[in-house]
PDB file of all heavy atoms in Angstrom:
ATOM      1  N   GLN L   1     -23.926  13.458  -6.418  1.00 79.00           N
ATOM      2  CA  GLN L   1     -23.027  14.275  -5.700  1.00 79.00           C
ATOM      3  C   GLN L   1     -22.438  13.376  -4.505  1.00 79.00           C
ATOM      4  O   GLN L   1     -21.219  13.469  -4.233  1.00 79.00           O
ATOM      5  CB  GLN L   1     -23.570  15.528  -5.121  1.00 79.00           C
ATOM      6  CG  GLN L   1     -22.686  16.405  -4.386  1.00 79.00           C
ATOM      7  CD  GLN L   1     -23.353  17.679  -3.892  1.00 79.00           C
ATOM      8  OE1 GLN L   1     -24.474  17.929  -4.087  1.00 79.00           O
ATOM      9  NE2 GLN L   1     -22.538  18.438  -3.154  1.00 79.00           N
ATOM     10  N   VAL L   2     -23.256  12.662  -3.862  1.00 75.00           N
ATOM     11  CA  VAL L   2     -22.859  11.922  -2.770  1.00 75.00           C
ATOM     12  C   VAL L   2     -21.846  10.695  -3.291  1.00 75.00           C
ATOM     13  O   VAL L   2     -20.787  10.492  -2.586  1.00 75.00           O
ATOM     14  CB  VAL L   2     -24.023  11.163  -1.970  1.00 75.00           C
ATOM     15  CG1 VAL L   2     -23.541  10.185  -1.000  1.00 75.00           C
ATOM     16  CG2 VAL L   2     -24.862  12.298  -1.364  1.00 75.00           C
ATOM     17  N   SER L   3     -22.154  10.090  -4.485  1.00 77.00           N
ATOM     18  CA  SER L   3     -21.282   9.113  -4.982  1.00 77.00           C
ATOM     19  C   SER L   3     -19.957   9.736  -5.347  1.00 77.00           C
ATOM     20  O   SER L   3     -18.953   9.056  -5.093  1.00 77.00           O
ATOM     21  CB  SER L   3     -21.906   8.588  -6.246  1.00 77.00           C
ATOM     22  OG  SER L   3     -23.119   7.930  -5.872  1.00 77.00           O
ATOM     23  N   ILE L   4     -19.903  10.932  -5.885  1.00 82.00           N
ATOM     24  CA  ILE L   4     -18.659  11.624  -6.237  1.00 82.00           C
ATOM     25  C   ILE L   4     -17.873  11.844  -4.980  1.00 82.00           C
ATOM     26  O   ILE L   4     -16.574  11.689  -4.986  1.00 82.00           O
ATOM     27  CB  ILE L   4     -18.955  12.823  -7.025  1.00 82.00           C
ATOM     28  CG1 ILE L   4     -19.573  12.477  -8.395  1.00 82.00           C
ATOM     29  CG2 ILE L   4     -17.697  13.697  -7.322  1.00 82.00           C
ATOM     30  CD1 ILE L   4     -18.661  11.586  -9.359  1.00 82.00           C
ATOM     31  N   MET L   5     -18.504  12.296  -3.975  1.00 80.00           N
ATOM     32  CA  MET L   5     -17.767  12.688  -2.685  1.00 80.00           C
ATOM     33  C   MET L   5     -17.115  11.406  -2.209  1.00 80.00           C
ATOM     34  O   MET L   5     -15.954  11.431  -1.713  1.00 80.00           O
ATOM     35  CB  MET L   5     -18.710  13.298  -1.719  1.00 80.00           C
ATOM     36  CG  MET L   5     -19.102  14.690  -1.959  1.00 80.00           C
ATOM     37  SD  MET L   5     -17.549  15.663  -2.182  1.00 80.00           S
ATOM     38  CE  MET L   5     -18.052  16.975  -1.188  1.00 80.00           C
ATOM     39  N   LEU L   6     -17.897  10.243  -2.163  1.00 77.00           N
ATOM     40  CA  LEU L   6     -17.371   8.985  -1.650  1.00 77.00           C
ATOM     41  C   LEU L   6     -16.153   8.511  -2.526  1.00 77.00           C
ATOM     42  O   LEU L   6     -15.144   8.196  -2.015  1.00 77.00           O
ATOM     43  CB  LEU L   6     -18.321   7.977  -1.570  1.00 77.00           C
ATOM     44  CG  LEU L   6     -19.533   8.130  -0.659  1.00 77.00           C
ATOM     45  CD1 LEU L   6     -20.625   7.087  -0.763  1.00 77.00           C
ATOM     46  CD2 LEU L   6     -18.925   8.095   0.824  1.00 77.00           C
ATOM     47  N   LEU L   7     -16.291   8.730  -3.751  1.00 80.00           N
ATOM     48  CA  LEU L   7     -15.187   8.352  -4.740  1.00 80.00           C
ATOM     49  C   LEU L   7     -13.963   9.283  -4.458  1.00 80.00           C
ATOM     50  O   LEU L   7     -12.784   8.792  -4.414  1.00 80.00           O
ATOM     51  CB  LEU L   7     -15.568   8.544  -6.175  1.00 80.00           C
ATOM     52  CG  LEU L   7     -14.524   8.232  -7.153  1.00 80.00           C
ATOM     53  CD1 LEU L   7     -14.145   6.727  -7.122  1.00 80.00           C
ATOM     54  CD2 LEU L   7     -15.025   8.503  -8.533  1.00 80.00           C
ATOM     55  N   CYS L   8     -14.113  10.572  -4.232  1.00 82.00           N
ATOM     56  CA  CYS L   8     -13.058  11.310  -3.970  1.00 82.00           C
ATOM     57  C   CYS L   8     -12.346  11.048  -2.568  1.00 82.00           C
ATOM     58  O   CYS L   8     -11.089  11.136  -2.536  1.00 82.00           O
ATOM     59  CB  CYS L   8     -13.477  12.903  -3.867  1.00 82.00           C
ATOM     60  SG  CYS L   8     -13.917  13.563  -5.393  1.00 82.00           S
ATOM     61  N   MET L   9     -13.093  10.668  -1.620  1.00 79.00           N
ATOM     62  CA  MET L   9     -12.564  10.245  -0.324  1.00 79.00           C
ATOM     63  C   MET L   9     -11.649   8.996  -0.517  1.00 79.00           C
ATOM     64  O   MET L   9     -10.608   8.986   0.015  1.00 79.00           O
ATOM     65  CB  MET L   9     -13.640   9.906   0.666  1.00 79.00           C
ATOM     66  CG  MET L   9     -14.430  11.180   1.138  1.00 79.00           C
ATOM     67  SD  MET L   9     -15.815  10.633   2.170  1.00 79.00           S
ATOM     68  CE  MET L   9     -16.684  12.058   2.254  1.00 79.00           C
ATOM     69  N   VAL L  10     -12.018   8.078  -1.270  1.00 79.00           N
ATOM     70  CA  VAL L  10     -11.298   6.863  -1.547  1.00 79.00           C
ATOM     71  C   VAL L  10     -10.121   7.177  -2.262  1.00 79.00           C
ATOM     72  O   VAL L  10      -8.966   6.694  -1.983  1.00 79.00           O
ATOM     73  CB  VAL L  10     -12.102   5.773  -2.240  1.00 79.00           C
ATOM     74  CG1 VAL L  10     -11.297   4.624  -2.665  1.00 79.00           C
ATOM     75  CG2 VAL L  10     -13.228   5.366  -1.254  1.00 79.00           C
ATOM     76  N   VAL L  11     -10.188   8.011  -3.393  1.00 82.00           N
ATOM     77  CA  VAL L  11      -9.007   8.380  -4.171  1.00 82.00           C
ATOM     78  C   VAL L  11      -8.020   9.213  -3.372  1.00 82.00           C
ATOM     79  O   VAL L  11      -6.770   8.883  -3.531  1.00 82.00           O
ATOM     80  CB  VAL L  11      -9.512   9.130  -5.432  1.00 82.00           C
ATOM     81  CG1 VAL L  11      -8.316   9.735  -6.216  1.00 82.00           C
ATOM     82  CG2 VAL L  11     -10.252   8.193  -6.346  1.00 82.00           C
ATOM     83  N   LEU L  12      -8.432  10.097  -2.659  1.00 80.00           N
ATOM     84  CA  LEU L  12      -7.524  10.949  -1.779  1.00 80.00           C
ATOM     85  C   LEU L  12      -6.817  10.060  -0.710  1.00 80.00           C
ATOM     86  O   LEU L  12      -5.612  10.181  -0.487  1.00 80.00           O
ATOM     87  CB  LEU L  12      -8.212  11.993  -1.113  1.00 80.00           C
ATOM     88  CG  LEU L  12      -8.518  13.296  -1.947  1.00 80.00           C
ATOM     89  CD1 LEU L  12      -9.407  14.280  -1.107  1.00 80.00           C
ATOM     90  CD2 LEU L  12      -7.235  13.901  -2.347  1.00 80.00           C
ATOM     91  N   GLY L  13      -7.499   9.183  -0.112  1.00 78.00           N
ATOM     92  CA  GLY L  13      -6.976   8.421   0.986  1.00 78.00           C
ATOM     93  C   GLY L  13      -6.329   7.170   0.567  1.00 78.00           C
ATOM     94  O   GLY L  13      -5.441   6.541   1.305  1.00 78.00           O
ATOM     95  N   GLY L  14      -6.681   6.583  -0.572  1.00 77.00           N
ATOM     96  CA  GLY L  14      -6.183   5.256  -0.991  1.00 77.00           C
ATOM     97  C   GLY L  14      -7.245   4.213  -0.540  1.00 77.00           C
ATOM     98  O   GLY L  14      -7.701   4.172   0.544  1.00 77.00           O
ATOM     99  N   ALA L  15      -7.394   3.257  -1.539  1.00 71.00           N
ATOM    100  CA  ALA L  15      -8.447   2.237  -1.252  1.00 71.00           C
ATOM    101  C   ALA L  15      -7.800   1.052  -0.520  1.00 71.00           C
ATOM    102  O   ALA L  15      -8.583   0.186  -0.143  1.00 71.00           O
ATOM    103  CB  ALA L  15      -8.964   1.760  -2.524  1.00 71.00           C
ATOM    104  N   GLY L  16      -6.558   0.913  -0.332  1.00 73.00           N
ATOM    105  CA  GLY L  16      -5.894  -0.217   0.274  1.00 73.00           C
ATOM    106  C   GLY L  16      -6.106  -0.323   1.812  1.00 73.00           C
ATOM    107  O   GLY L  16      -6.259  -1.508   2.231  1.00 73.00           O
ATOM    108  N   LYS L  17      -6.226   0.804   2.461  1.00 74.00           N
ATOM    109  CA  LYS L  17      -6.337   0.669   3.928  1.00 74.00           C
ATOM    110  C   LYS L  17      -7.503   1.581   4.384  1.00 74.00           C
ATOM    111  O   LYS L  17      -7.785   2.695   3.900  1.00 74.00           O
ATOM    112  CB  LYS L  17      -5.075   1.091   4.604  1.00 74.00           C
ATOM    113  CG  LYS L  17      -3.905   0.217   4.359  1.00 74.00           C
ATOM    114  CD  LYS L  17      -2.720   0.507   5.141  1.00 74.00           C
ATOM    115  CE  LYS L  17      -1.639  -0.598   4.810  1.00 74.00           C
ATOM    116  NZ  LYS L  17      -0.682  -0.718   5.754  1.00 74.00           N
ATOM    117  N   SER L  18      -8.113   1.185   5.434  1.00 75.00           N
ATOM    118  CA  SER L  18      -9.254   1.988   6.027  1.00 75.00           C
ATOM    119  C   SER L  18      -8.867   3.310   6.587  1.00 75.00           C
ATOM    120  O   SER L  18      -9.503   4.300   6.553  1.00 75.00           O
ATOM    121  CB  SER L  18      -9.992   1.185   6.951  1.00 75.00           C
ATOM    122  OG  SER L  18      -9.161   0.854   8.146  1.00 75.00           O
ATOM    123  N   GLN L  19      -7.604   3.385   7.110  1.00 82.00           N
ATOM    124  CA  GLN L  19      -7.103   4.613   7.614  1.00 82.00           C
ATOM    125  C   GLN L  19      -6.953   5.669   6.507  1.00 82.00           C
ATOM    126  O   GLN L  19      -7.179   6.952   6.745  1.00 82.00           O
ATOM    127  CB  GLN L  19      -5.705   4.404   8.286  1.00 82.00           C
ATOM    128  CG  GLN L  19      -5.696   3.560   9.480  1.00 82.00           C
ATOM    129  CD  GLN L  19      -5.407   2.124   9.177  1.00 82.00           C
ATOM    130  OE1 GLN L  19      -5.318   1.707   7.970  1.00 82.00           O
ATOM    131  NE2 GLN L  19      -5.343   1.290  10.142  1.00 82.00           N
ATOM    132  N   GLY L  20      -6.561   5.231   5.340  1.00 81.00           N
ATOM    133  CA  GLY L  20      -6.494   6.209   4.223  1.00 81.00           C
ATOM    134  C   GLY L  20      -7.825   6.728   3.812  1.00 81.00           C
ATOM    135  O   GLY L  20      -7.992   7.930   3.483  1.00 81.00           O
ATOM    136  N   VAL L  21      -8.783   5.983   3.787  1.00 79.00           N
ATOM    137  CA  VAL L  21     -10.224   6.366   3.512  1.00 79.00           C
ATOM    138  C   VAL L  21     -10.662   7.319   4.587  1.00 79.00           C
ATOM    139  O   VAL L  21     -11.321   8.414   4.196  1.00 79.00           O
ATOM    140  CB  VAL L  21     -11.153   5.162   3.257  1.00 79.00           C
ATOM    141  CG1 VAL L  21     -12.549   5.670   3.105  1.00 79.00           C
ATOM    142  CG2 VAL L  21     -10.643   4.210   2.141  1.00 79.00           C
ATOM    143  N   ILE L  22     -10.389   7.077   5.841  1.00 82.00           N
ATOM    144  CA  ILE L  22     -10.827   7.999   6.916  1.00 82.00           C
ATOM    145  C   ILE L  22     -10.060   9.224   6.742  1.00 82.00           C
ATOM    146  O   ILE L  22     -10.694  10.353   6.963  1.00 82.00           O
ATOM    147  CB  ILE L  22     -10.535   7.363   8.261  1.00 82.00           C
ATOM    148  CG1 ILE L  22     -11.436   6.146   8.396  1.00 82.00           C
ATOM    149  CG2 ILE L  22     -10.777   8.329   9.371  1.00 82.00           C
ATOM    150  CD1 ILE L  22     -11.148   5.288   9.644  1.00 82.00           C
ATOM    151  N   LEU L  23      -8.831   9.364   6.393  1.00 85.00           N
ATOM    152  CA  LEU L  23      -8.092  10.501   6.178  1.00 85.00           C
ATOM    153  C   LEU L  23      -8.716  11.299   4.976  1.00 85.00           C
ATOM    154  O   LEU L  23      -8.885  12.484   5.065  1.00 85.00           O
ATOM    155  CB  LEU L  23      -6.644  10.236   5.847  1.00 85.00           C
ATOM    156  CG  LEU L  23      -5.744  11.445   5.532  1.00 85.00           C
ATOM    157  CD1 LEU L  23      -5.554  12.365   6.729  1.00 85.00           C
ATOM    158  CD2 LEU L  23      -4.354  10.935   4.987  1.00 85.00           C
ATOM    159  N   GLY L  24      -8.951  10.536   3.925  1.00 82.00           N
ATOM    160  CA  GLY L  24      -9.669  11.256   2.743  1.00 82.00           C
ATOM    161  C   GLY L  24     -11.033  11.864   3.136  1.00 82.00           C
ATOM    162  O   GLY L  24     -11.323  12.918   2.619  1.00 82.00           O
ATOM    163  N   ARG L  25     -11.757  11.195   4.002  1.00 83.00           N
ATOM    164  CA  ARG L  25     -13.015  11.746   4.507  1.00 83.00           C
ATOM    165  C   ARG L  25     -12.825  13.099   5.234  1.00 83.00           C
ATOM    166  O   ARG L  25     -13.520  14.001   5.074  1.00 83.00           O
ATOM    167  CB  ARG L  25     -13.763  10.808   5.389  1.00 83.00           C
ATOM    168  CG  ARG L  25     -15.086  11.249   5.795  1.00 83.00           C
ATOM    169  CD  ARG L  25     -15.632  10.382   6.908  1.00 83.00           C
ATOM    170  NE  ARG L  25     -14.830  10.605   8.171  1.00 83.00           N
ATOM    171  CZ  ARG L  25     -15.097  10.037   9.338  1.00 83.00           C
ATOM    172  NH1 ARG L  25     -16.130   9.244   9.417  1.00 83.00           N
ATOM    173  NH2 ARG L  25     -14.387  10.406  10.350  1.00 83.00           N
ATOM    174  N   HIS L  26     -11.776  13.086   6.027  1.00 86.00           N
ATOM    175  CA  HIS L  26     -11.489  14.293   6.850  1.00 86.00           C
ATOM    176  C   HIS L  26     -11.048  15.400   5.896  1.00 86.00           C
ATOM    177  O   HIS L  26     -11.492  16.589   6.133  1.00 86.00           O
ATOM    178  CB  HIS L  26     -10.398  14.056   7.951  1.00 86.00           C
ATOM    179  CG  HIS L  26     -10.963  13.235   9.165  1.00 86.00           C
ATOM    180  ND1 HIS L  26     -11.936  13.586   9.852  1.00 86.00           N
ATOM    181  CD2 HIS L  26     -10.436  12.004   9.448  1.00 86.00           C
ATOM    182  CE1 HIS L  26     -12.177  12.657  10.804  1.00 86.00           C
ATOM    183  NE2 HIS L  26     -11.354  11.680  10.602  1.00 86.00           N
ATOM    184  N   VAL L  27     -10.234  15.085   4.932  1.00 85.00           N
ATOM    185  CA  VAL L  27      -9.853  16.178   3.992  1.00 85.00           C
ATOM    186  C   VAL L  27     -10.886  16.732   3.259  1.00 85.00           C
ATOM    187  O   VAL L  27     -11.213  18.021   3.142  1.00 85.00           O
ATOM    188  CB  VAL L  27      -8.713  15.567   3.001  1.00 85.00           C
ATOM    189  CG1 VAL L  27      -8.492  16.554   1.897  1.00 85.00           C
ATOM    190  CG2 VAL L  27      -7.465  15.273   3.736  1.00 85.00           C
TER     191      VAL L  27
END
């Protein structure tokens, strides 16, 4: 479940920039 959550964060925010991953984490 943790791995899936991390993957969702990266997919939602985008893997190219750290700001996108942070945004995905917040969502």
Side-chain angles (χ1 to χ4, degrees):
Q1 181 181 1
V2 174
S3 298
I4 294 298
M5 287 303 229
L6 292 173
L7 179 66
C8 289
M9 291 174 191
V10 172
V11 168
L12 279 175
K17 298 191 178 204
S18 60
Q19 296 91 351
V21 176
I22 292 170
L23 177 66
R25 181 191 73 178
H26 287 301
V27 170

